[in-house]
């Protein structure tokens, strides 16, 4: 009786929403599966694209898992974890963003019946971690190295990796054309980690085939004043002066006060202003530079002054372009024109201003330090060019990763099927419930080849059965077999050059398992009320 009289303890603020237990975990799993269903159909070379229209009216057409996940304004707290792993996969490896979301959701989907039957989530988590460790060891075992090849051979292999990445994108039709371009661009920046040294400029109009690679820097012609057209537009081996100052006639600051006893002194003050700017311009000319670029404005007086002396100038150059010119030409950006020595001037073999579509571009090629490249993209619609840029970013990341960690695995769902078979065999040697859990982890890995078939319109069950049979061969010759997108059968992915860097798979399995374990380990959600 006394127990019934106990007052109710109010711990949380009124309006706080708490949900816990099994139902809460199942609801989180359902939310993650719903998110994966959005990007599911974008996987692979026959994947569909998504058109996302945001509140500002911007329209984005994309096939890239990370881009779609970013643009979907997901509010469910557990499902947000999938957005984070897609972003981390994008920044770490560049490709495999859809894969990682699908895998995480599939691991959860496989775990759901066990949770409903009352299995403790920690048992699942332990088995999943164990399975992922074994899977990653197996990927490393199956990976083939492309080290020690000749430069030509290595380029060919890298462009195969880039082509595999590009085949699932909008520009997949021209994948060979862009793959070789990407390999050249990554080759140009050398071992440097700085991806911002590869500039991508977009010019609407023309066809994709009109895109080209500049071994150096290219940027759009900046705003210019009268006198600009009289400047020469082409130089061989010019010296290049890079500035971060304004070359404009500046009147004295508004709050300055000058007292004159004699009106004739006024002229000397006006002259002083003119002398300051002329002095600056003289010093630029004396430096011997033939191309003057500044981050700030170069006024009409300066433009005309340089034109009379056969010097090309451009003001208001974007900072990233200026830094790329500095890196490529070996120059240093100056904040003053006093004592400009030869060491701070850059140089390049060839400078010209060229018409690209309806834009004019300033192009610096044949740069001595050469650690930069610019891809100029052409195409019909703006959204199309935007998507092409995102696709190239993925390909650039992949090629860079493949040059650093030079091991590749068979794509097209081959590696997933092989790990799945291996884990199934391993699980039989484990006593206890863990055998079920590792088996379900193995089954979840089959989502990749199954989805590739579904997206291409093939019978997934049929193709997966063929794959299972091939991978089960005791000789191990079936290991590189994956889905053949063109015929709807199965084919040797290695022989067909469907390759991806091993690091993509390792990262995807790692991130997806982490995310699945994280969601499984949550047993209560508390939502505080808005103030």
């Amino acid at each position: 009786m006394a127990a019934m009289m106990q007052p109710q303890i109010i711990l949380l603020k009124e309006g706080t929403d708490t949900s816990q237990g099994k139902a809460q975990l199942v609801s989180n799993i359902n939310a993650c599966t719903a998110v994966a269903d959005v990007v599911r159909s974008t996987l692979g070379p026959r994947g569909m694209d998504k058109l996302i229209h945001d509140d500002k009216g911007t329209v984005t057409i994309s096939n890239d898992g990370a881009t779609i996940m970013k643009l979907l304004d997901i509010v469910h707290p557990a499902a947000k974890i999938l957005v984070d792993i897609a972003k981390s996969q994008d920044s770490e490896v560049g490709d495999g963003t859809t894969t990682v979301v699908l895998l995480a959701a599939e691991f959860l989907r496989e775990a759901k019946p066990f949770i409903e039957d009352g299995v403790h989530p920690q048992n699942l988590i332990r088995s999943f971690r164990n399975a992922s460790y074994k899977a990653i060891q197996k990927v490393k075992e199956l990976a083939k190295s492309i080290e020690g090849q000749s430069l030509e051979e290595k380029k060919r292999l890298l462009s195969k990796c880039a082509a595999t990445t590009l085949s699932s994108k909008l520009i997949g039709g021209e994948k060979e054309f862009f793959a070789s371009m990407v390999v050249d661009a990554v080759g140009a920046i050398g071992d440097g980690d700085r991806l911002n040294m590869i500039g991508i400029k977009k010019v609407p109009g023309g066809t994709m085939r009109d895109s080209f690679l500049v071994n150096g820097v290219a940027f759009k012609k900046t705003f210019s004043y009268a006198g600009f057209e009289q400047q020469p537009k082409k130089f061989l081996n010019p010296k290049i002066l890079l500035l971060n100052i304004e070359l404009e006639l500046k009147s004295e600051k508004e709050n300055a006060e000058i007292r004159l006893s004699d009106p004739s002194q006024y002229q000397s003050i006006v002259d002083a202003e003119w002398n300051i700017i002329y002095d600056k311009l003289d010093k630029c000319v004396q430096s011997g530079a033939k191309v003057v670029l500044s981050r700030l404005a170069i006024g009409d007086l300066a433009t005309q002054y340089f034109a009379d002396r056969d010097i090309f100038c451009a003001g208001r150059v974007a900072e990233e372009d200026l830094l790329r010119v500095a890196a490529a030409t070996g120059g240093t950006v100056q904040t003053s024109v006093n004592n400009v020595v030869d060491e701070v001037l850059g140089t390049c073999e060839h400078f010209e201003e060229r018409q690209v579509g309806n834009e004019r571009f300033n192009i610096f090629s044949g740069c001595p330090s050469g650690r930069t490249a610019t891809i100029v993209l052409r195409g019909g619609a703006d959204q199309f060019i935007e998507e092409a840029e995102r696709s190239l970013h993925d390909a650039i990341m992949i090629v860079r990763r493949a040059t650093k960690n030079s091991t590749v695995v068979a794509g097209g769902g081959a590696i997933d099927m092989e790990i799945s078979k291996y884990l199934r065999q391993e699980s039989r040697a484990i006593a206890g419930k863990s055998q079920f859990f590792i088996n379900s982890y193995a089954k979840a890995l089959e989502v990749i080849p199954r989805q590739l078939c579904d997206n291409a319109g093939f019978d997934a069950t049929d193709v997966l059965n063929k794959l299972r049979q091939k991978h089960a061969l005791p000789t191990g010759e079936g290991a590189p077999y994956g889905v053949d997108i063109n015929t709807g059968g199965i084919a040797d992915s290695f022989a067909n050059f469907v390759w991806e860097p091993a690091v993509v798979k390792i990262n995807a399995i790692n991130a997806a398992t982490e995310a699945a374990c994280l969601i499984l380990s949550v047993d209560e959600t508390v939502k505080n009320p808005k103030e």
Side-chain angles (χ1 to χ4, degrees), residues 12 23 37 77 84 131 156 213 224 240 265 294 314 344 353 366 399 412 457 466 479 492:
L12 300 168
D37 286 342
D84 293 340
R156 201 176 63 78
L213 175 76
S224 56
I240 301 162
Q265 291 173 341
S294 174
V344 301
E353 183 170 295
V399 172
K466 283 185 193 164
D492 185 335

Side-chain angles (χ1 to χ4, degrees), residues 61 126 132 144 218 228 241 251 262 390 467 499 503 507 517:
I61 297 176
R126 199 175 314 122
S132 90
K144 294 229 169 72
F228 178 77
L241 175 61
S251 57
D262 178 5
R390 281 190 289 272
L467 277 176
W499 298 347
V503 67
N507 217 48
C517 291

Side-chain angles (χ1 to χ4, degrees), residues 435-480:
Q435 187 180 32
F436 287 133
F437 307 151
I438 291 185
N439 216 354
S440 70
Y441 187 97
K443 187 179 172 208
L445 288 168
E446 290 182 352
V447 69
I448 303 296
R450 183 182 302 120
Q451 201 56 51
L452 286 173
C453 296
D454 285 346
N455 290 352
F458 303 139
D459 181 350
T461 316
D462 192 34
V463 176
L464 276 180
N465 283 340
K466 283 185 193 164
L467 277 176
R468 283 196 197 104
Q469 180 263 329
K470 199 74 175 166
H471 282 263
L473 292 176
T475 52
E477 67 190 57

Side-chain angles (χ1 to χ4, degrees), residues 53-104:
H53 187 258
D54 66 10
D55 50 359
K56 296 188 189 69
T58 318
V59 173
T60 312
I61 297 176
S62 181
N63 183 296
D64 179 39
T67 310
I68 297 168
M69 298 295 273
K70 267 183 226 158
L71 292 171
L72 293 176
D73 222 348
I74 293 174
V75 289
H76 193 285
K80 273 191 178 157
I81 294 170
L82 293 189
V83 181
D84 293 340
I85 57 168
K87 282 185 189 165
S88 86
Q89 177 83 0
D90 194 37
S91 57
E92 182 61 27
V93 200
D95 195 25
T97 46
T98 312
T99 307
V100 76
V101 175
L102 279 185
L103 281 177

Side-chain angles (χ1 to χ4, degrees), residues 377-390:
L377 277 183
R378 307 294 310 276
D382 282 348
Q383 284 93 340
F384 184 83
I385 301 180
E386 295 282 338
E387 174 60 7
E389 182 189 16
R390 281 190 289 272

Side-chain angles (χ1 to χ4, degrees), residues 318-334:
E319 186 166 17
E320 57 182 66
D321 289 334
L322 200 65
L323 292 176
R324 289 216 335 272
V325 173
T329 59
T332 319
V333 179
Q334 299 296 302

